[in-house]
Amino acid sequence: MSIAKLVFAPLSYTGWGSLEHLLPEVEKHSPEKILVVTDPMLEKIGLTERITAPLEKQGYSVTTYTDVVPEPPLETGERLVAFAREGRFELIIGLGGGSALDLAKLAAVLAVHDGSAADYLNLTGTKTIEKKGLPKILIPTTSGTGSEVTNISVLSLETTKDVVTHDFLLADAAIVDPELTVSVPSKVTAATGIDALTHAVEAYVSVNASPATDALALHAITLIGRSIRKAVEDGKDKQARIDMSSGSFMAGLAFFNAGVAGVHALAYPLGGQFHISHGESNAVLLPYVMGYIRKSCVKRMEDILTALGKHSTGLSEEEASYKCVEEFQQLVKDVGIPSTLAGFDVPESALEDLTRDGVKQKRILARSPMPLMVDDIRRIYQSAFDGVIVEAKQMV
């Protein structure tokens, strides 16, 4: 067995009502000034007040920052970093979906560094993160990104995305309370839920998979597979929300250690060029990427099918792997996400530009069980446009 390196966030609280641990965690750091980075919609519906009111009651100085947008551009990150530096905060709390959490992590670390956020980007940056930064507590309000347990901050560029990544971006504490996800709209529940499923699926077939990440990924697939349709249909279904929250959390732990691959690599340019949400970008590509690389992970696809609660009795591994791809297609359809690039108004003329940017995501592509070259990526985008599953012509 190959050696696996496993890294986990220092501390996590999970389960219904786990928000009660926020105040004790804040008290550990004795901050005078706290910055809460959150989505403006959460402030509008009063969810942010559930965080800030108890802190202010205890005498803490709390500033709420809401310049947060989905798929945040680099410029949004730059503004927040500058704000965090000028404010001389001593603790940062991220509250919201992946965008708010990613920005909170970025600000907490870069607040004590020189230079711009662009200087630390994975693909083009020239500076190295050297200091841990401010303490940070991350509280997700969606079940999807896993950002609360990863060391990555994703930023949108002009036509694609890049990341700032370092273990110093890991949360000092993550609080994963499914009660906070009840108000999430069905469309967001669907997109973030398929995002979490994609994390688990890609972690399970990753070349960096290990027994530990396999266990996390498969159970995440089971939880998400049995609950996502219910959560989309009825957001107040408590058990569905608990399952989705736990599944997203475990998928985050799995993919942080094993990595994601082709689906995410191709989703980045799709989001960058057409501003399709990350979850929807993953959802529309999931069946086509997995169908294309199916031959490289047949047995693992059979395992995924079983984890999704679908019987493979009487089927060969090959047949079960085909059925797994079909189940991905059906699941995306059932939660109401378009099943083709054309369904998102992506023109066929854009496929070459998507391919050009997709092939640049070498850090992510390296984890695919089947190497994906330029021609492979072009064929996958074409199949996702046409709505027809195609396979690699031969195993590489």
Side-chain angles (χ1 to χ4, degrees), residues 81-104:
V81 169
F83 186 85
R85 288 172 177 169
E86 293 167 6
R88 298 185 178 277
F89 299 99
E90 295 165 310
L91 173 72
I92 293 185
I93 297 174
L95 174 72
S99 297
L101 302 190
D102 280 8
L103 288 171

Side-chain angles (χ1 to χ4, degrees), residues 19 22 35-40 42-43 46-52 64-65 68 92-101 104 137-142 175 180:
L19 186 61
L22 174 60
L35 176 64
V36 176
V37 178
T38 190
D39 186 300
L42 298 184
E43 186 175 50
L47 192 57
T48 304
E49 190 175 357
R50 291 189 60 183
I51 307 299
T52 59
T64 301
Y65 185 94
V68 173
I92 293 185
I93 297 174
L95 174 72
S99 297
L101 302 190
I137 300 172
L138 302 181
I139 308 171
T141 60
T142 64
I175 298 175
L180 300 179

